[in-house]
Amino acid sequence: MSAGFVFTAAFRRFCSTSRSVFQPRVRSQLDYCEMEGLTDVVLISCGSFNPITNMHLRMFELAKDHLEDTGRYRVKKGIISPVGDGYKKKGLIEACHRVAMAERAAETSSWIEVDPWESLQPEWVETARVVRHHYGKLVAADQDKDEVDTEKYGKKRRMPEDVAELAGRYGVVCVTRGGSDAERFVQQSDVLWCHRRNIHMVREWVTNEISATHVRRALRRGRSVRYLLPEPVMSYIADHRLYSAESERRNEGVTLAPLARYTEEEEDDGAS
């Protein structure tokens, strides 16, 4: 979304087969008084991470602070899920490099991790399916089972259905960018408006408009990107000589996978 960084924010009820809320006893970081009824949350961010920047990590911290400041949630974990090569975005380098850079960036965090599952899929995977995959892993871990199948639906899915599932079943945190109007975006969408109470808007008052596109441009031109990227990521890029004029032409002229898929669905609907 152009409104800003968007998380699928929840897996909020993953702790029993009845999906009752897990209610740990915790101590408040603000007043050190004991509280009950906090809902455990896992944050997941799907994206290109081409390359991962300091702002990608920063948005996890912003989302965590926002949710925990409500007094209703406790963020247990953050998951970075780089998209696979099947996304076919122009300038998208190989997933193995993007995952490796993300892993090096996450080494500085005690609660953010990288999951390569999405990046290993041969075709582009919808965000809703990625979230179902991770939700299933959490449910399985809580139930002490090998796996819980929450990835597939019997019928063919449409984008509005996926949006409704993400916002309605799991929840969304949107970290807004300068000049954007995320509230208006929700106002103009009937699907999002229906689930507006499950969408958390977070404003970054210390504005930092780091763009991976601008970073790649600087790298192609031999300019410094120090303090825009984590140091281990910079070292990895230098060691593997990533982000050249040639790499930026990758997938040039190829239709972005989501656009191709949803265009095909619209044509199928028109023919039926």
Side-chain angles (χ1 to χ4, degrees):
M1 289 183 183
S2 60
F5 298 111
V6 178
F7 288 93
T8 296
F11 315 132
R12 292 196 312 271
R13 304 176 183 84
F14 63 81
C15 293
S16 72
T17 51
S18 62
R19 292 186 189 157
S20 58
V21 178
F22 180 46
Q23 298 183 332
R25 298 178 67 85
V26 300
R27 190 166 296 278
S28 169
Q29 296 177 349
L30 297 178
D31 57 13
Y32 300 97
C33 65
E34 201 167 45
M35 301 172 61
E36 291 187 358
L38 293 185
T39 300
D40 281 352
V41 171
V42 171
L43 292 167
I44 179 168
S45 179
C46 302
S48 299
F49 301 103
N50 188 40
I52 190 167
T53 70
N54 286 331
M55 192 60 196
H56 287 129
L57 300 175
R58 173 70 180 153
M59 68 180 184
F60 275 95
E61 298 291 339
L62 291 167
K64 182 174 185 288
D65 283 349
H66 173 84
L67 291 176
E68 294 188 343
D69 281 351
T70 67
R72 294 183 291 153
Y73 305 107
R74 180 177 66 173
V75 176
K76 301 284 288 185
K77 181 167 64 174
I79 300 174
I80 297 171
S81 180
V83 73
D85 294 337
Y87 189 51
K88 300 187 184 303
K89 185 177 183 179
K90 182 178 179 295
L92 188 69
I93 67 168
E94 293 87 347
C96 59
H97 290 307
R98 291 182 285 109
V99 169
M101 287 186 287
E103 289 174 341
R104 283 156 176 76
E107 289 175 356
T108 61
S109 174
S110 62
W111 64 281
I112 302 171
E113 62 184 47
V114 180
D115 191 289
W117 181 83
E118 181 183 1
S119 70
L120 296 174
Q121 305 311 302
E123 296 183 352
W124 170 70
V125 180
E126 300 90 337
T127 299
R129 184 182 166 199
V130 176
V131 175
R132 282 182 229 127
H133 166 78
H134 289 286
Y135 181 88
K137 288 176 63 176
L138 290 169
V139 172
D142 182 68
Q143 297 177 350
D144 196 25
K145 293 181 179 179
D146 291 335
E147 63 178 317
V148 174
D149 185 10
T150 60
E151 287 180 38
K152 297 180 180 179
Y153 279 70
K155 63 176 183 176
K156 191 173 182 180
R157 302 278 289 181
R158 293 293 188 266
M159 183 168 59
E161 294 174 288
D162 283 353
V163 172
E165 179 186 357
L166 290 170
R169 185 183 184 191
Y170 303 111
V172 172
V173 178
C174 179
V175 182
T176 61
R177 283 176 165 164
S180 65
D181 190 349
E183 289 85 358
R184 182 179 180 183
F185 193 82
V186 173
Q187 175 71 25
Q188 293 177 340
S189 167
D190 289 340
V191 175
L192 293 178
W193 176 255
C194 181
H195 301 290
R196 63 192 181 279
R197 292 181 181 85
N198 230 16
I199 300 173
H200 299 261
M201 300 293 182
V202 183
R203 186 169 299 279
E204 167 61 297
W205 295 105
V206 183
T207 57
N208 192 334
E209 298 300 311
I210 298 177
S211 163
T213 301
H214 296 160
V215 168
R216 294 197 306 274
R217 183 181 298 123
L219 289 167
R220 291 198 307 273
R221 297 175 179 178
R223 301 297 185 182
S224 172
V225 293
R226 178 156 292 173
Y227 311 122
L228 299 178
L229 310 180
E231 287 288 339
V233 175
M234 290 179 51
S235 298
Y236 186 93
I237 291 172
D239 292 344
H240 293 81
R241 300 180 179 180
L242 302 178
Y243 299 115
S244 62
E246 180 180 358
S247 70
E248 193 64 21
R249 290 192 295 270
R250 191 177 189 212
N251 293 323
E252 192 171 38
V254 178
T255 303
L256 195 67
L259 180 59
R261 184 172 301 178
Y262 293 131
T263 300
E264 180 181 349
E265 289 177 357
E266 290 177 358
E267 291 175 350
D268 290 344
D269 289 342
S272 60

